[in-house]
């Protein structure tokens, strides 16, 4: 069975948690596509060469979740050649046998416009910054500034900007607990699976 769940949205909206839960519940493979851009971002040197030569080891680095890696990722993610180098791998993953969940910024719009389910997971910048701050600590106002800066870059870039696909189901997690958000996502998938 080929079945793709595309989950897009801004940083710290809850995409990762929802994606992992949906994948586990339905037995689908999961790809966190942000980790591809993070790995390219932290590698240094020529980002296009880094994207073309990406290996599984690069994705296993333990510094990929940091704020610095997130910023580095969104800087290399504006480069069309970097996006092009990562496209085929993501497309193949999306259409693999047995079902796949991919979370990112452009899954429903560019990587897999034919996805059986498209979700757009979002929350207010303040709520997202607060969640990220609980994880990383430091100065909450700076975390909020970082979230806004990354939103602006991801939504404003020319190639594959962050936006909801016209046929995406919106899940706003500003006032939803994680269990409710997961339940809402699973309900959409279950309905589409019939
Ligand atoms: O989702 P995550 O915060 O790990 O993504 C890091 C950065 O990678 C994003 O801010 C975005 O710039 C970029 N990205 C992207 N397209 C994707 C996934 C991530 O441009 N599909």
């Amino acid at each position: 069975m080929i079945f793709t769940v595309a989950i897009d949205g801004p940083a710290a909206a809850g995409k990762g948690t929802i994606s992992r839960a949906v994948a586990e519940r339905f037995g689908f493979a999961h790809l966190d596509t942000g980790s591809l851009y993070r790995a390219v971002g932290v590698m240094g040197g020529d980002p296009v060469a880094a994207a073309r030569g990406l290996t599984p080891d690069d994705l296993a680095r333990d510094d990929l979740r940091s704020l610095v890696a997130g910023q580095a990722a969104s800087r290399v993610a504006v480069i069309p050649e970097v996006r092009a180098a990562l496209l085929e791998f993501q497309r193949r993953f999306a259409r693999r046998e047995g079902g796949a969940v991919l979370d990112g910024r452009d899954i429903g719009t560019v990587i897999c416009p034919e996805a059986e389910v498209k979700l757009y997971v979002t929350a207010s910048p303040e709520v997202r910054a607060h969640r990220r701050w609980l994880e990383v600590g430091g100065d909450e106002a700076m975390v909020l500034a970082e979230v806004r800066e990354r939103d602006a870059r991801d939504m404003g870039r020319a190639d594959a900007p962050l936006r909801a696909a016209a046929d995406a189901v919106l899940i706003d997690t500003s006032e939803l607990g994680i269990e409710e958000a997961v339940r809402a996502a699973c309900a959409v998938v279950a309905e589409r699976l019939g």
Side-chain angles (χ1 to χ4, degrees), residues 8 11-12 15 32-35 37-38 65 69-70 73-75 77 83 90 103-107 111 132 150 154 157 160:
D8 292 306
K15 295 188 306 291
D32 162 14
T33 65
S35 68
Y37 294 91
R38 285 171 182 265
R65 297 307 315 161
S74 90
R75 276 189 219 105
R83 307 199 70 84
Q90 296 176 81
D103 70 281
R105 302 289 187 290
D106 62 341
I107 309 303
I111 302 297
R132 194 38 64 88
R150 199 135 69 90
D154 289 350
R157 69 184 175 219

Side-chain angles (χ1 to χ4, degrees), residues 106-172:
D106 62 341
I107 309 303
T109 50
V110 174
I111 302 297
C112 196
E114 71 275 33
E116 281 71 17
V117 171
K118 296 181 191 175
L119 303 176
Y120 191 81
V121 179
T122 189
S124 71
E126 291 77 13
V127 166
R128 291 186 286 117
H130 186 68
R131 286 183 193 147
R132 194 38 64 88
W133 173 75
L134 290 174
E135 283 171 23
V136 299
D139 176 357
E140 189 169 348
M142 268 184 65
V143 179
L144 177 58
E146 193 271 346
V147 160
R148 289 192 194 280
E149 186 186 335
R150 199 135 69 90
D151 282 358
R153 202 182 292 123
D154 289 350
M155 292 173 185
R157 69 184 175 219
D159 191 14
L162 170 64
R163 60 181 176 79
D167 51 350
V169 175
L170 182 79
I171 298 181
D172 188 327

Side-chain angles (χ1 to χ4, degrees), residues 174-189:
S174 302
E175 283 167 23
L176 280 188
I178 192 59
E179 276 110 47
E180 290 167 292
V182 166
R183 216 175 301 129
C186 286
V188 178
V189 176

